């Protein structure tokens, strides 16, 4: 009888001990870190080894903390807004991932920072419910922003909901040189919808003007002449004081350069090239989104490209340095992995191995 009691007690004790042990393991206050271990890649040290890589990311460079250098935001395929602070300076940027969900903001599809009320800090527009447009007002300041949802579904002056297709990347730009920001959003038809800001720099009012702005129609030759979603970027690339347009198309492996042959107040755009830049053409699996910014503070615009095509989940954040001038750019390709992410693919299994060498190599 005693031996039977021992057999019953023994498994109960083991279960009790395992229960305590597992609780101690899983109750630890683990905090996710995005850096802290040196990762040396063939092209340099990784800025953000644990950011999970870039997957179909919409990007924008903006000085969000008022320290006169450009920080980086990225809206990834996981529907999170990543914030990278520039810990370098305006000439030599270095990026550290601060959070994968900036201020815990929740939105859909796209984002764009713009000082829409002319108060010296950046407000935020995003994709809203059912492909509408949401407006987050910055109630903080240029050094310490604080975003509050002001309008969930933005409406035009005609009291109709403003829509922006889910797969398109829209933009704000003062296209008519009247001191306020107008709104442009693409359509999968291969056209652009244009809302003019008929308010003021301090009080914006968006008025529908056209759903085929400047009669632009992009039909890409790839895949039997198709038109699709598009990504828009306005920049004065030739330093003639008006805005030119760069267009990434869902079915194009390259970039369209659409030159403004008009003026700052009366644009007249023409499709100048579908291969860009000519000296070092960019090509991917498809759907390229461009962003231009003076990343090294040398007075000309450099070019960044993120690939929005779902199948290209590496080598998809390209940096072209402008080695020419503001009026005559010469773009040289520096890297296809700007953040030097340690990204082995979606199905990869990672492990760490001890080494006598300094740091860890991948």
């Amino acid at each position: 009888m005693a031996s039977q009691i021992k057999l019953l007690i023994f498994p109960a004790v083991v279960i009790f001990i395992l229960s305590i042990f597992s609780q101690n393991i899983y109750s630890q206050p683990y905090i996710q870190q995005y850096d802290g271990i040196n990762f040396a890649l063939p092209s340099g040290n990784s800025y953000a080894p644990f950011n999970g890589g870039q997957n179909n990311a919409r990007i924008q460079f903006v000085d969000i903390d008022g320290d006169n250098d450009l920080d980086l935001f990225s809206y990834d395929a996981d529907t999170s807004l990543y914030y990278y602070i520039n810990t370098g300076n305006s000439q030599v940027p270095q990026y550290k991932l601060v959070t994968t969900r900036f201020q815990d903001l929740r939105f859909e599809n796209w984002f764009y920072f713009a000082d829409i009320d002319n108060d010296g800090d950046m407000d935020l527009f995003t994709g809203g419910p059912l492909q509408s447009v949401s407006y987050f007002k910055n109630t903080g300041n240029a050094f310490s922003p604080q975003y509050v949802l002001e309008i969930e579904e933005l409406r035009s002056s005609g009291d109709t909901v403003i829509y922006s297709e889910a797969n398109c990347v829209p933009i704000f730009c003062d296209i008519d040189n009247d001191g306020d920001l107008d709104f442009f959003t693409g359509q999968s038809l291969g056209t652009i919808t244009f809302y003019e800001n008929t308010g003021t720099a301090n009080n914006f009012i968006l008025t529908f003007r056209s759903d085929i702005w400047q009669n632009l129609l992009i039909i890409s030759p790839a895949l039997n002449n198709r038109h699709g979603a598009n990504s828009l970027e306005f920049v004065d690339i030739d330093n003639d004081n008006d805005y030119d347009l760069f267009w990434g198309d869902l079915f194009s492996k390259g970039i369209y350069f659409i030159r403004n042959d008009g003026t700052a107040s009366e644009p007249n755009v023409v499709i100048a090239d579908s291969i860009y830049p000519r000296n070092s053409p960019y090509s991917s699996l498809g759907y390229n989104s461009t962003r231009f910014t003076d990343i090294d503070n040398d007075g000309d615009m450099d070019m960044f490209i993120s690939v929005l095509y779902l199948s290209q989940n590496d080598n998809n954040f390209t940096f072209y340095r402008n080695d020419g001038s503001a009026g005559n750019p010469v773009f040289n390709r520096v890297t296809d992995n700007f953040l030097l992410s340690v990204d082995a693919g979606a199905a990869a299994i990672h492990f760490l191995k001890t080494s006598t060498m300094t740091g860890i190599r991948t």
Side-chain angles (χ1 to χ4, degrees):
M1 181 66 179
S3 61
Q4 291 179 348
I5 293 175
K6 289 179 182 179
L7 289 174
L8 291 173
I9 292 175
F10 178 72
V13 172
V14 171
I15 293 171
F16 177 71
I17 292 173
L18 288 175
S19 176
I20 294 175
F21 184 68
S22 64
Q23 287 178 10
N24 288 334
I25 292 175
Y26 292 108
S27 64
Q28 299 303 311
Y30 292 109
I31 299 175
Q32 183 177 5
Q33 297 290 330
Y34 306 116
D35 55 14
I37 299 176
N38 292 328
F39 271 82
L41 301 177
S43 52
N45 291 327
S46 175
Y47 290 137
F50 305 124
N51 71 345
Q54 296 284 120
N55 296 302
N56 323 118
R58 282 80 167 150
I59 62 171
Q60 188 180 2
F61 291 90
V62 59
D63 182 9
I64 201 64
D65 51 8
D67 62 349
N68 297 314
D69 58 35
L70 293 168
D71 308 297
L72 172 63
F73 288 86
S74 170
Y75 181 76
D76 208 82
D78 63 2
T79 69
S80 295
L81 184 60
Y82 288 56
Y83 167 41
Y84 298 84
I85 190 173
N86 187 347
T87 59
N89 54 52
S90 59
Q91 289 83 31
V92 184
Q94 292 186 350
Y95 289 98
K96 177 181 178 180
L97 179 59
V98 176
T99 177
T100 58
R101 192 171 290 279
F102 179 64
Q103 295 197 6
D104 201 32
L105 297 174
R106 311 281 171 155
F107 56 87
E108 302 176 27
N109 305 321
W110 60 270
F111 74 98
Y112 193 80
F113 288 98
D115 185 7
I116 197 65
D117 51 8
N118 198 36
D119 63 350
D121 56 40
M122 287 292 178
D123 306 294
L124 177 63
F125 291 86
T126 71
L130 302 176
Q131 303 186 86
S132 62
V133 177
S134 295
Y135 166 48
F136 292 84
K137 182 178 177 59
N138 187 349
T139 59
N141 53 51
F143 305 96
S144 181
Q146 186 62 49
Y147 290 96
V148 176
L149 181 60
E150 185 88 354
I151 303 174
E152 186 174 32
E153 290 186 341
L154 198 62
R155 305 183 80 87
S156 71
S157 60
D159 198 32
T160 58
V161 175
I162 297 175
Y163 292 102
S164 181
E165 291 187 13
N167 290 325
C168 291
V169 181
I171 192 171
F172 285 82
C173 174
D174 183 8
I175 199 64
D176 49 11
N177 197 33
D178 63 349
D180 54 38
L181 295 172
D182 309 297
F183 181 60
F184 296 81
T185 182
Q187 298 184 79
S188 56
L189 295 173
T191 59
I192 296 176
T193 298
F194 169 45
Y195 288 86
E196 180 187 356
N197 188 344
T198 55
T200 65
N202 307 94
N203 183 27
F204 73 96
I205 300 172
L206 298 181
T207 300
F208 172 77
R209 291 302 189 208
S210 174
D211 58 7
I212 184 167
W213 181 71
Q214 292 277 302
N215 291 316
L216 275 174
L217 176 63
I218 297 293
I219 300 178
S220 294
L223 300 177
N224 300 320
N225 294 329
R226 295 186 180 184
H227 48 69
N230 50 67
S231 174
L232 308 176
E233 171 75 336
F234 282 102
V235 61
D236 182 8
I237 200 62
D238 48 11
N239 201 32
D240 63 349
N241 298 314
D242 57 35
Y243 284 105
D244 308 293
L245 173 63
F246 286 82
W247 178 307
D249 189 83
L250 176 63
F251 295 109
S252 171
K253 296 182 178 181
I255 300 165
Y256 287 90
F257 168 38
I258 302 172
R259 188 180 61 243
N260 187 351
D261 287 343
T263 65
S265 55
E266 295 185 6
N268 179 31
V269 300
V270 295
I271 301 174
D273 213 336
S274 61
I275 300 174
Y276 197 88
R278 270 288 166 177
N279 64 299
S280 179
Y282 184 77
S283 180
S284 72
L285 292 180
Y287 201 9
N288 305 309
S289 180
T290 58
R291 285 287 182 248
F292 290 84
T293 192
D294 186 4
I295 197 65
D296 49 11
N297 198 30
D298 63 349
D300 55 39
M301 288 293 179
D302 307 292
M303 180 171 65
F304 292 84
I305 304 168
S306 61
V307 182
L308 306 186
Y309 192 78
L310 292 175
S311 298
Q312 185 162 330
N313 54 19
D314 59 1
N315 294 324
N316 56 10
F317 191 1
T318 298
F319 167 43
Y320 279 85
R321 185 180 58 243
N322 186 351
D323 292 326
S325 64
N328 185 27
V330 177
F331 290 109
N332 288 314
R333 194 167 182 165
V334 177
T335 179
D336 290 321
N337 185 12
F338 177 66
L339 290 175
L340 297 176
S341 301
V342 180
D343 190 354
I349 299 174
H350 306 276
F351 66 93
L352 297 179
K353 180 180 179 181
T354 59
S355 173
T356 58
M357 300 178 64
T358 301
I360 296 174
R361 292 184 178 271
T362 181

